[in-house]
C-alpha cells in the first residue's frame, strides 16, 4: 500500500540525487497539505496526553518534513523515528513532545522566554528547532561533524536567532552558556554526565534516556546546590551517547 500523501511531489527519477522534497510550482499547495498533516499530528499528540499549549504550538510550527531525506518525507508526520544518516535517527514526535513538556513543567510560560536550554544530540536539528520555539535561548551540541553541518543547513531557512549549534562532545556540556534551566538529552548513556548535572541551575530539570539494551527516561531535578532528585519514567529506545567527536 502506498502511503505517499497527495501533497508530496512525484519521486525523483531513478539515479537522481536529491536530499530535499522537490518543491512543486505552487509551494503554497505543498505548504497547505503539509500544514494539514502537521495539524493531524498535533491532534494525535493531544489524544495521547500532550497538554502544554506552547509545546503543541511549537510542534505545529516546525516543518518536520524539512529535516529528513526526500525519500522519507511522506512519513514525516507519522509517530516514528526515521534515519537521518550517520547511523542516527530523528526522534518520534511523541517523544520530542513528552521530553520538552517534562522539562518545561517547572517553568511557567512567563519564564520560558528568559530560559537557557541545552540539548545534547542535535542530529538533524528538528528537536532543537522545537526547543527554540518554546524557550528563550537554546544551545544544541552534536558530536558528528556531518550531522552538525546538516542541522545547520536544515535550520537556515527557519532563521532561529535564539538557537546556537555547537560541534563537540555533549558529555562536557557547554560551560560558557551555563547554568541551564533545562537540559534535554537525545542519546542514551549509562549515566548522566557529571558536567551536565553541574551545569543545571538549582530548580532546573534534565530529561535523559538512560541504559543500554533496556532504556528508560530519567527526569532529574536539581533541588538544591548539592542535591538532585531522579524519577524513572517510560521505557524508550534511543541511539547511544558516544564519547568524543567524529
Ligand atoms: N535531536 C534529534 C535526535 C538526534 S539522534 C532530533 O531532533 O530528532 C541523537 C544524536 O545524538 C545523534 O545525532 C548522535 O550523533 C548524537 N550524539 C551521541 N552522542 C553524543 C555526544 N556525546 N555529544 C553530542 N551528540 C551526541
Amino acid at each position: 500500500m502506498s502511503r505517499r500523501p497527495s501533497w508530496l511531489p512525484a519521486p525523483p527519477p531513478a539515479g537522481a540525487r536529491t536530499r530535499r522534497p522537490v518543491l512543486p510550482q505552487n509551494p503554497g499547495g505543498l505548504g497547505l497539505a503539509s500544514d494539514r498533516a502537521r495539524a493531524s499530528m498535533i491532534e494525535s499528540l493531544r489524544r495521547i496526553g500532550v497538554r502544554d499549549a506552547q509545546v503543541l504550538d511549537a510542534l505545529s510550527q516546525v516543518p518536520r518534513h524539512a529535516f529528513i531525506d526526500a525519500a522519507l518525507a511522506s512519513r514525516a508526520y507519522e509517530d516514528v523515528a526515521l534515519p537521518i544518516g550517520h547511523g542516527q535517527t530523528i526522534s518520534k514526535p511523541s517523544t520530542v513532545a513528552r521530553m520538552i513538556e517534562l522539562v518545561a513543567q517547572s517553568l511557567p510560560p512567563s519564564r520560558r522566554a528568559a530560559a537557557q536550554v541545552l540539548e545534547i544530540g542535535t542530529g538533524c536539528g528538528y528537536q532543537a528547532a522545537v526547543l527554540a520555539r518554546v524557550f528563550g535561548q537554546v544551545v544544541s551540541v552534536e558530536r558528528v561533524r556531518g550531522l552538525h553541518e546538516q542541522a545547520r543547513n536544515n535550520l537556515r531557512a527557519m532563521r532561529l536567532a535564539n538557537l546556537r549549534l555547537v560541534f563537540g562532545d555533549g558529555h562536557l556540556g557547554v560551560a560558557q552558556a551555563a547554568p541551564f534551566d533545562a537540559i534535554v538529552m537525545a542519546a542514551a548513556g549509562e549515566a548522566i554526565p557529571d558536567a551536565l548535572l553541574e551545569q543545571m541551575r538549582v530548580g532546573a530539570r534534565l530529561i535523559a534516556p538512560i541504559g543500554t539494551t533496556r532504556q528508560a527516561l530519567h527526569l532529574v531535578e536539581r533541588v538544591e546546590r548539592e542535591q538532585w532528585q531522579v524519577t524513572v519514567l517510560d521505557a524508550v529506545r534511543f541511539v547511544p551517547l558516544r564519547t568524543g567527536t567524529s
Side-chain angles (χ1 to χ4, degrees), residues 101-187:
E101 191 170 58
L102 282 165
V103 290
Q105 262 165 14
S106 62
L107 291 161
S110 60
R111 282 192 47 213
R112 293 183 189 169
Q116 177 84 350
V117 174
L118 175 66
E119 179 191 36
I120 305 299
T122 316
C124 60
Y126 173 69
Q127 178 169 262
V130 179
L131 285 166
R133 291 206 170 266
V134 177
F135 300 108
Q137 294 295 323
V138 177
V139 182
S140 180
V141 186
E142 173 56 55
R143 65 173 291 279
V144 177
R145 172 80 70 184
L147 286 172
H148 168 72
E149 280 161 12
Q150 196 171 304
R152 194 172 291 294
N153 289 335
N154 290 342
L155 287 158
R156 191 162 289 125
M158 291 189 66
R159 297 176 181 278
L160 296 164
N162 62 333
L163 171 60
R164 201 175 116 210
L165 301 183
V166 173
F167 170 63
D169 182 351
H171 281 94
L172 308 174
V174 180
Q176 317 87 283
F180 295 100
D181 299 287
I183 301 181
V184 179
M185 297 188 67

Side-chain angles (χ1 to χ4, degrees), residues 91-105:
S91 305
K92 296 204 276 194
S94 58
T95 304
V96 170
R98 173 128 171 92
M99 292 205 295
I100 301 180
E101 191 170 58
L102 282 165
V103 290
Q105 262 165 14

Side-chain angles (χ1 to χ4, degrees), residues 33-46:
S34 69
D35 284 355
R36 274 199 299 275
R38 206 149 55 239
S40 103
M41 177 186 89
I42 300 299
E43 276 319 304
S44 310
L45 292 175
R46 276 189 216 282

Side-chain angles (χ1 to χ4, degrees), residues 228-241:
W228 290 261
Q229 189 176 291
V230 183
T231 312
V232 181
L233 303 166
D234 342 0
V236 283
R237 183 118 204 91
F238 276 79
V239 295
L241 183 72

